[in-house]
Amino acid sequence: MESRFISLVVSITVIALRFLMFLKKGLPDFPVNSTGFIWPYIEPVFLENPFLSFLASTLCIFIISYLLSELNVRYGVIRMRTAMPFYVPLILFSVHPFFLRMTPDFPGLIFVLWSLFPLLASYQYHHSHRFAYQFSALIAIAGIFQIHALLIVPLWLIGLSAMGRINFRSFIASIFGIILVFWIVFVFYVFGDNITGFIDPFKGLTDIYDFTQTPTFSVPQWGFIGTMLLFLFFIITADIKQITRERSFTKKVLIFSISVILLSLLLQILYLTHTFIWIYIIIAFLSIIAAHFYADTTFRLEILSYFFALLLLAFYYCLNLFTDLSPF
């Protein structure tokens, strides 16, 4: 049984740990491959004010955690009363200095998660076109920050079909939601006499990794990637056994979450170093799966694996904080 104060305790701890890492390591210096419309105009503000960038990223992970927690509370994804959907993403987004820096992927992820609310609200609702319009518009707003977010719209339409019923009207409504958002953006670029600036972000969708060249990862980096994939495989396969015992709606939500993780993994491989929004999406939806798995399990070994995972995360945080031995 979780303490009612665990969310507060974890929140304070995460803020302290992030602040300590910021003081010790500063913000990581890496180029942000912006393929959105807004970020080029606001990025200089964060580059000139590292502390503001740190505060913004910290605020974003709390918004992400709140959205995941609210999804669970509103739609009852996890039967047991638990705060895991809130504090699991807080922890996962705080063990590496990469997530201390504000990037367009954070607001992109926030709008992607927000789009889940109309999607799940469409369950067994015959007139689904209104929900299709809402979630497609929210994903389009995510695309304003990171254009690659638009690639998940087809999966959301498949999810809409699984939740209830999709028809031609729903499909047209989803297209209209996207067009409306980008039409507003287009108008601003027309007034600024910068049509090329409006077209350029869309070119990022075709900028995939050149697989004729082998990724230049070191042996430790390949080992780290393999370990993460094994952990991902373990959580998904272990939770699938629990999913089979859930009610119809919860099954659909969790299977949809797994589908998002797998699609994001494939897209991250496809774009590799060109965008990292898929890693953010994987972490968010993995938090749902991990929270469902560990909140419902009663097997001793699985409970021990939860504490072992926390110890590994603590070790990885210390590795990043006190050394430069982290593979990434």
Side-chain angles (χ1 to χ4, degrees):
M1 187 69 178
E2 290 182 353
S3 167
R4 67 178 66 181
F5 301 109
I6 189 168
S7 294
L8 178 61
V9 171
V10 173
S11 297
I12 294 173
T13 303
V14 163
I15 291 173
L17 292 176
R18 288 176 66 86
F19 188 66
L20 179 61
M21 185 174 287
F22 173 73
L23 292 178
K24 180 78 173 178
K25 307 290 286 190
L27 295 184
D29 184 18
F30 59 88
V32 176
N33 296 325
S34 175
T35 52
F37 299 88
I38 297 178
W39 192 250
Y41 299 101
I42 61 177
E43 183 180 26
V45 177
F46 292 121
L47 291 177
E48 294 174 4
N49 302 274
F51 187 65
L52 180 62
S53 179
F54 165 74
L55 289 179
S57 67
T58 302
L59 176 62
C60 282
I61 68 166
F62 274 92
I63 294 174
I64 290 165
S65 296
Y66 169 77
L67 289 172
L68 290 173
S69 178
E70 184 63 20
L71 276 170
N72 179 56
V73 171
R74 186 174 300 186
Y75 298 107
V77 178
I78 301 174
R79 287 176 295 173
M80 300 290 291
R81 184 176 179 180
T82 178
M84 281 189 182
F86 179 78
Y87 68 76
V88 168
L90 280 183
I91 296 172
L92 293 180
F93 278 114
S94 299
V95 295
H96 196 284
F98 180 83
F99 300 111
L100 296 180
R101 181 176 170 183
M102 184 63 182
T103 68
D105 302 314
F106 274 124
L109 175 58
I110 287 172
F111 282 102
V112 167
L113 294 178
W114 193 354
S115 72
L116 285 175
F117 286 87
L119 175 62
L120 300 187
S122 69
Y123 180 64
Q124 292 186 339
Y125 199 93
H126 296 298
H127 303 289
S128 59
H129 59 278
R130 177 164 59 92
F131 302 107
Y133 166 76
Q134 290 173 352
F135 71 63
S136 63
L138 287 167
I139 294 174
I141 296 173
I144 292 176
F145 290 94
Q146 187 58 270
I147 197 68
H148 295 89
L150 293 178
L151 295 175
I152 64 173
V153 172
L155 183 58
W156 258 239
L157 289 173
I158 294 173
L160 182 66
S161 176
M163 291 295 165
R165 186 177 68 181
I166 186 173
N167 50 36
F168 182 72
R169 193 178 180 185
S170 302
F171 179 72
I172 294 300
S174 67
I175 295 177
F176 181 73
I178 295 173
I179 291 176
L180 179 63
V181 171
F182 281 100
W183 176 256
I184 295 172
V185 176
F186 177 71
V187 169
F188 279 100
Y189 276 86
V190 169
F191 286 150
D193 193 23
N194 187 17
I195 304 299
T196 304
F198 177 79
I199 297 174
D200 285 343
F202 291 99
K203 296 178 181 178
L205 295 174
T206 62
D207 188 19
I208 63 174
Y209 183 76
D210 182 8
F211 288 97
T212 59
Q213 300 179 3
T214 305
T216 56
F217 294 137
S218 64
V219 174
Q221 287 175 330
W222 280 116
F224 181 85
I225 293 171
T227 303
M228 292 299 101
L229 290 176
L230 283 175
F231 176 75
L232 196 65
F233 176 77
F234 165 74
I235 288 293
I236 291 176
T237 54
D239 195 48
I240 286 175
K241 298 177 183 178
Q242 294 189 7
I243 292 175
T244 56
R245 302 193 298 266
E246 294 289 356
R247 59 195 175 98
S248 176
F249 174 72
T250 303
K251 280 182 183 179
K252 291 179 178 180
V253 174
L254 294 172
I255 291 173
F256 177 76
S257 298
I258 291 173
S259 301
V260 173
I261 292 173
L262 296 178
L263 175 65
S264 299
L265 184 61
L266 290 175
L267 289 172
Q268 187 60 66
I269 294 172
L270 185 64
Y271 289 99
L272 208 56
T273 57
H274 295 167
T275 181
F276 295 105
I277 189 174
W278 307 115
I279 292 178
Y280 288 71
I281 292 176
I282 289 171
I283 292 174
F285 282 86
L286 179 62
S287 298
I288 298 174
I289 299 301
H292 176 263
F293 173 63
Y294 284 119
D296 284 349
T297 188
T298 56
F299 293 103
R300 185 177 179 183
L301 283 177
E302 291 175 350
I303 295 173
L304 288 175
S305 73
Y306 167 71
F307 291 102
F308 180 67
L310 289 180
L311 286 175
L312 285 179
L313 288 171
F315 171 76
Y316 187 58
Y317 171 84
C318 293
L319 190 70
N320 284 307
L321 182 64
F322 298 112
T323 74
D324 295 317
L325 298 177
S326 175
F328 290 97

